[in-house]
Amino acid sequence: MLSIQDMEPLQAVIQSANRVLKPRGCFILVMVHPCFRVPRQSGWGWDSRRKIQYRRVDRYLTPLAVPMQPYSGGTTRSFHRPLSEYVNCLAESGLVVNCMKEIPTYEVVTAGKHTRAENRAHQQIPLFLSLRAMKVGDISESELSS
């Protein structure tokens, strides 16, 4: 949960998960939403003309390794990848995505100049994403959706 974006190489991580899954086993990922939260390449903005808060994304399709937290042994990194890279890695490893949920933040702003607009944006722009992928093997189409 909230760690897949800190793991590299992604394909090896997903292949390892697939290897230990039984047929019809599920691999569930919960991550920061790669479409809306790109480290150092996204943020909130305010449009005073339209009186709305919006999510700005400056860079999305290009994978990016971002240094995050320094520690005595080096620096941790977060790996931004577009959503397609996660889905394609799952598929290449023999897993099929059969559920996706986009999760907004549950932060509620109680004070400030743009409280209503901020809360509306927090409800409408998902900052987290969950993918459920199933190990399929010889499973029929109808079984995938159950």
Side-chain angles (χ1 to χ4, degrees), residues 37-72:
R37 289 181 77 180
V38 183
R40 300 185 186 157
Q41 301 296 317
S42 64
W44 292 107
W46 174 255
D47 183 329
S48 57
R49 186 180 58 80
R50 296 174 58 209
K51 296 186 178 17
I52 61 168
Q53 182 161 348
Y54 61 89
R55 189 75 181 167
R56 187 197 79 248
V57 177
D58 299 325
R59 181 176 174 172
Y60 170 70
L61 284 174
T62 304
L64 179 66
V66 181
M68 297 302 280
Q69 191 73 4
Y71 67 101
S72 62

Side-chain angles (χ1 to χ4, degrees), residues 51-119:
K51 296 186 178 17
I52 61 168
Q53 182 161 348
Y54 61 89
R55 189 75 181 167
R56 187 197 79 248
V57 177
D58 299 325
R59 181 176 174 172
Y60 170 70
L61 284 174
T62 304
L64 179 66
V66 181
M68 297 302 280
Q69 191 73 4
Y71 67 101
S72 62
T75 301
T76 59
R77 298 203 182 287
S78 182
F79 298 93
H80 164 72
R81 305 167 180 103
L83 180 55
S84 59
E85 190 167 336
Y86 290 100
V87 172
N88 292 334
C89 277
L90 289 163
E92 289 164 10
S93 295
L95 298 167
V96 174
V97 174
N98 62 355
C99 185
M100 177 176 128
K101 295 197 182 218
E102 295 178 293
I103 307 160
T105 181
Y106 292 101
E107 178 181 351
V108 175
V109 178
T110 58
K113 192 172 167 182
H114 309 298
T115 302
R116 186 171 173 209
E118 287 181 47
N119 286 325

Side-chain angles (χ1 to χ4, degrees), residues 2-14:
L2 299 175
S3 62
I4 193 73
Q5 64 273 0
D6 300 332
M7 296 180 188
E8 181 73 359
L10 180 63
Q11 189 68 43
V13 171
I14 292 174

